Amino acid sequence: MQLRDARVLLTGASGGLGRELARQLAAAGARVLVAGRDAERLAALAATLGPDDASVRADLSRPEGIAAAVGAAREFGVNVLVNNAGIGGFGLFDRQDWRDVEQLLLTNLAVPMRLTHALLPTLKACPRAAVVNIGSTFGSLPFPGFAAYSAAKAGLRGFSQALRRELADTPVAVIHLAPRAIDTPLNSPAVNALNRALGNRLDTPESVARQVVAALAAEAGERHFGFPEKFFAWLNGLAPGLIDRGLAGKLPVVKRHATSHP
Ligand SMILES: NC(=O)c1ccc[n+]([C@@H]2O[C@H](COP(=O)([O-])OP(=O)(O)OC[C@H]3O[C@@H](n4cnc5c(N)ncnc54)[C@H](OP(=O)(O)O)[C@@H]3O)[C@@H](O)[C@H]2O)c1
């Protein structure tokens, strides 16, 4: 897709990856409709973009937020939906509050599906269009301490693959991208401490955004960012028992961090 022809609804634009995505998409010639909940951060972001860009404040976990974002996107003439909004959820599953689990499944899985469902008629009527779903390594390499988050991201990956196959004879590309850990506020101090203890690498929002923009331009179907994470994600598909045994050795560290931070 030619990025100068892209008119993008970007969710989670006020967040760590979203801000950088908005900046890089606009720099590549795309017009961007930035969406988020935090009015102050959205306004600050909009002020750095061009006069043809726009913003919409919407809590996407509420029906009125979905309606606001969809209405603004149609008015904007959207042909690209980037489902980037998301929340984290580190903790031992049986200790998590069920309301938090539901909010996570809603935000990270049902909201991208809902927005896609509402905007597909608009997207299908465009000469070229795309849905970009920001997943996670944990969608293919589900991790202890992240059961609900991994389930949501695995669901998003399954949704993306099925929809890509269903829309193969339409102008709509469905792109699924799976970054490894990124240095953003999504990760709580406990997650940052866990990543340090496990030696997990953190990517910058700038480098991940570059890869997302390149994947959109190339209309790539699916990409995993970062080695060796992409190798282990692949291996988990072939031999999950091997990964079970490998991760069993890390369980005490995961448990310690899941229980020692508020
Ligand atoms: N950080 C990582 O390690 C990592 C790794 C792999 C994948 N990812 C994925 O990358 C994406 C971006 O995450 P990030 O790291 O940039 O996180 P972040 O800095 O915490 O930003 C999350 C964004 O999602 C928005 N959001 C959350 N709940 C929302 C709701 N109910 N309605 C509307 N917007 C909502 C937030 O909006 P407000 O702040 O305005 O409320 C914020 O803009 C997520 O899908 C995440 O799962 C992150």
Side-chain angles (χ1 to χ4, degrees), residues 11-19 21 35-39 41-42 58-62 83-88 103 106-108 111 133-138 149 153 156 177-187 191-192 195 202-203 205 208:
T11 71
S14 50
L17 177 58
R19 268 198 310 273
L21 268 176
R37 286 174 303 185
D38 187 308
R41 282 192 291 157
L42 260 190
D59 180 344
L60 297 171
S61 65
R62 304 174 75 90
N83 284 309
N84 169 67
I87 54 177
Q103 183 68 13
L106 177 61
T107 308
N108 293 8
V111 162
N133 290 326
I134 305 297
S136 159
T137 297
F138 289 172
Y149 185 84
K153 292 297 188 182
L156 187 64
L177 303 172
R180 63 181 176 187
I182 315 168
D183 188 9
T184 74
L186 182 109
N187 294 320
V191 174
N192 288 327
N195 280 331
L202 274 186
D203 287 323
V208 176

Side-chain angles (χ1 to χ4, degrees), residues 211-225:
Q211 296 176 78
V212 172
V213 172
L216 171 60
E219 293 186 22
E222 181 156 331
R223 284 187 182 170
H224 295 250
F225 302 157

Side-chain angles (χ1 to χ4, degrees), residues 20-31:
E20 193 50 37
L21 268 176
R23 201 185 63 72
Q24 291 192 23
L25 284 166
R31 292 186 188 161

Side-chain angles (χ1 to χ4, degrees), residues 29-77:
R31 292 186 188 161
V32 194
L33 170 61
V34 293
R37 286 174 303 185
D38 187 308
E40 223 167 273
R41 282 192 291 157
L42 260 190
L45 173 63
T48 67
L49 302 174
D52 295 327
D53 302 309
S55 68
V56 56
R57 192 172 161 211
D59 180 344
L60 297 171
S61 65
R62 304 174 75 90
E64 57 273 25
I66 294 284
V70 168
R74 290 195 184 122
E75 205 174 302
F76 191 68

